[in-house]
Amino acid sequence: MNTGHMPRTLLVTANPDPRSLTHHVSARLQSALHPLPVEVADLHQEQFDPRFNPADRRAYHEGGDYPSDVVREHRRLEQATDVVLIFPVYWWSMPALLKGWIDRVFVNGWAFEYSADSGLRPKLQQLTTHLLPVAASDPGLFERHGYEKALRTQIEHGIVDYCGSRRGATAFIYESELPSPEATAEKVERAVSMISTAVRAPAPR
């Protein structure tokens, strides 16, 4: 992992439409982080294969010999101090493309080590993970049904904490399909400001 003092951020997007709000948010965040180094991983454009295949299963159990496309993602993350997952909320969770990226990339032997003898040993302590979900529904609906808590528990606790990564900022953009461009722009700028401020904050020692 990048242990330097200057933040280096990896923005990960999972939306097939380059004109989507997801990609707009990614571009705004990249601009807000300038002049800090930023890399964008557009999983759809890069045609990342999210399917967990037999080679992935072998690598998971043996903790090595990862497929070449997974190794590429490992190298990206190893160069980063921060990763931001920017994604539309599908069925109160992340898109299958992003879930498959996590399934294949955050694996045993790299993101963590687990064995019956020694138990769990997280390995991503030098990485801070931020979340930027883009949701069509309003915050009241998420609150009433516990959808935000469920999504945050799944990702923040079930993935980020499990791998030992630091929790960064989580900034929902609600009501992303409002007919008012001004209202949407305000929500985007608020979320971008929250994430960029968190990335620029000194990492805890």
Side-chain angles (χ1 to χ4, degrees):
M1 296 298 165
N2 183 343
T3 58
H5 297 297
M6 177 176 288
R8 181 180 179 87
T9 307
L10 177 67
L11 309 182
V12 182
T13 65
N15 193 310
D17 184 357
R19 299 168 299 176
S20 67
L21 187 58
T22 303
H23 288 285
H24 172 68
V25 170
S26 175
R28 285 293 307 121
L29 182 55
Q30 186 173 9
S31 177
L33 289 171
H34 183 79
L36 297 177
V38 176
E39 181 180 3
V40 178
D42 182 339
L43 301 183
H44 180 79
Q45 183 186 50
E46 296 174 3
Q47 298 184 323
F48 180 83
D49 187 350
R51 295 172 297 178
F52 193 86
N53 58 49
D56 294 307
R57 181 170 172 80
R58 286 193 300 274
Y60 180 89
H61 284 290
E62 297 169 7
D65 195 22
Y66 307 111
S68 59
D69 57 343
V70 171
V71 171
R72 181 190 65 190
E73 302 307 307
H74 287 170
R75 297 297 170 263
R76 281 173 149 175
L77 287 160
E78 286 165 359
Q79 293 299 313
T81 56
D82 296 77
V83 60
V84 187
L85 307 183
I86 307 170
F87 59 93
V89 175
Y90 291 169
W91 291 107
W92 321 112
S93 186
M94 65 181 75
L97 177 57
L98 181 57
K99 178 60 164 59
W101 182 78
I102 291 170
D103 289 345
R104 297 191 62 214
V105 174
F106 285 63
V107 290
N108 185 32
W110 183 81
F112 63 91
E113 287 184 354
Y114 179 83
S115 70
D117 295 331
S118 58
L120 174 67
R121 187 166 73 88
K123 299 186 69 174
L124 299 187
Q125 290 88 348
Q126 301 301 323
L127 184 69
T128 299
T129 303
H130 311 267
L131 308 179
L132 214 168
V134 179
S137 298
D138 63 86
L141 179 66
F142 271 72
E143 176 65 26
R144 287 195 302 277
H145 297 286
Y147 293 140
E148 179 177 335
K149 181 179 180 182
L151 189 149
R152 292 177 69 127
T153 298
Q154 173 199 0
I155 304 176
E156 292 176 346
H157 179 66
I159 301 171
V160 178
D161 292 352
Y162 190 86
C163 296
S165 173
R166 293 186 293 266
R167 288 193 195 187
T170 293
F172 277 79
I173 297 176
Y174 290 110
E175 299 177 298
S176 61
E177 298 177 356
L178 284 175
S180 167
E182 294 79 14
T184 300
E186 287 182 12
K187 296 174 187 295
V188 168
E189 292 310 308
R190 188 160 50 244
V192 165
S193 176
M194 184 182 300
I195 299 293
S196 61
T197 298
V199 169
R200 292 177 184 278
R205 296 184 180 276

